[in-house]
Amino acid sequence: MSSKLWLDGIRGVIPGGISIEDFAQVANTDKTTAKRMLQELAANSIGKMNDGIIEFEEGDKLRATILALGKGVLIDEIAKNLDWRDFEGLAAQILESRDCATIRNYIMTNPRMEIDVVGIRLGVAMLIDCKHWKKTTPSALQDIVEKQVERTKNYVAKTNGAIAAPVIVTLYQDKVSFVGKVPIVPIFQLATFVDEFYGNLENIETIEKESQ
């Protein structure tokens, strides 16, 4: 199947149910090809087929995106079909699948700050800023990191007993890198990063409330 077909098909990956016929129409293809495409998505744990209806859940669109990237679809083209909800939703689902207590769009006041996704396990919180779709210069990335560090300090100051680490999650990155000791993590490596996170805390910036 062509990269254009996968690009068109991503538009049909929305939470809820869609018939094979409707998916074929969205993907601008015939029913047989649409069914093959949906079977491949399901084989990669993207959507579930049930009596001719395919049921997608939050996060499936971004999973389909990552699959499409491997099939030659250009990331700039894919980005036009996705929004921040898809990105944050998948990040939260990955954390939940790794037994983290998860909060989305956590808002603090005085000053007002918002954290895209909070994941807590073993007494340490990951405070994730989801940077969806923008390529960044080194100076812009430095600014992003500094702002997330400030949010983390504010979170720790307002949360009893908190120990937290600022984390940036992106799609454009091809491997985990660091600005200082703040990790920049590609979304498709987030699950592995979380698995290894608690054993690598000495290499990651963590912030806790200073003793009085």
Side-chain angles (χ1 to χ4, degrees):
M1 287 178 274
S2 69
S3 59
K4 184 181 185 306
L5 178 61
W6 280 103
L7 179 62
D8 290 339
I10 288 171
R11 299 189 185 100
V13 181
I14 54 176
I18 185 171
S19 68
I20 294 174
E21 291 81 2
D22 287 344
F23 188 88
Q25 186 172 0
V26 171
N28 296 314
T29 190
D30 60 87
K31 183 178 176 181
T32 299
T33 303
K35 186 174 182 179
R36 283 175 48 220
M37 186 175 183
L38 289 164
Q39 288 171 336
E40 184 167 352
L41 289 171
N44 285 275
S45 300
I46 304 168
K48 296 179 181 178
M49 299 186 70
N50 185 16
D51 294 330
I53 299 295
I54 301 84
E55 297 176 356
F56 292 112
E57 61 183 24
E58 188 175 14
D60 277 344
K61 182 178 282 188
L62 197 50
R63 292 188 184 90
T65 295
I66 293 168
L67 181 65
L69 287 172
K71 297 180 179 295
V73 182
L74 296 176
I75 195 167
D76 290 338
E77 292 298 319
I78 286 175
K80 297 173 184 177
N81 297 308
L82 300 170
D83 62 28
W84 59 269
R85 297 177 191 85
D86 302 312
F87 195 88
E88 292 178 4
L90 181 55
Q93 281 196 337
I94 290 169
L95 291 174
E96 290 167 2
S97 74
R98 265 46 190 180
D99 298 321
C100 293
T102 305
I103 307 168
R104 285 182 62 182
N105 308 122
Y106 181 82
I107 296 175
M108 299 173 288
T109 56
N110 299 320
R112 189 186 188 282
M113 294 181 174
E114 182 173 345
I115 299 168
D116 293 338
V117 184
V118 179
I120 305 170
R121 184 161 67 91
L122 300 177
V124 182
M126 274 176 279
L127 307 190
I128 292 177
D129 185 22
C130 292
K131 285 312 189 192
H132 29 286
W133 324 137
K134 283 189 178 181
K135 294 180 179 178
T136 56
T137 63
S139 61
L141 186 57
Q142 180 70 39
D143 185 57
I144 288 166
V145 166
E146 289 175 359
K147 288 179 179 177
Q148 189 67 356
V149 169
E150 285 304 308
R151 294 185 192 103
T152 304
K153 289 178 178 177
N154 196 36
Y155 171 90
V156 167
K158 296 176 183 294
T159 308
N160 289 335
I163 302 172
V167 179
I168 310 299
V169 173
T170 180
L171 181 64
Y172 279 112
Q173 198 84 2
D174 61 358
K175 62 182 179 180
V176 177
S177 63
F178 290 83
V179 173
K181 293 179 70 175
V182 175
I184 317 298
V185 184
I187 187 71
F188 61 87
Q189 291 187 10
L190 182 57
T192 300
F193 173 81
V194 175
D195 288 342
E196 298 173 352
F197 174 80
Y198 295 94
N200 290 324
L201 285 176
E202 71 276 6
N203 299 316
I204 295 170
E205 179 166 352
T206 54
I207 298 168
E208 55 187 301
K209 189 178 293 187
E210 295 180 1
S211 301
Q212 300 296 322

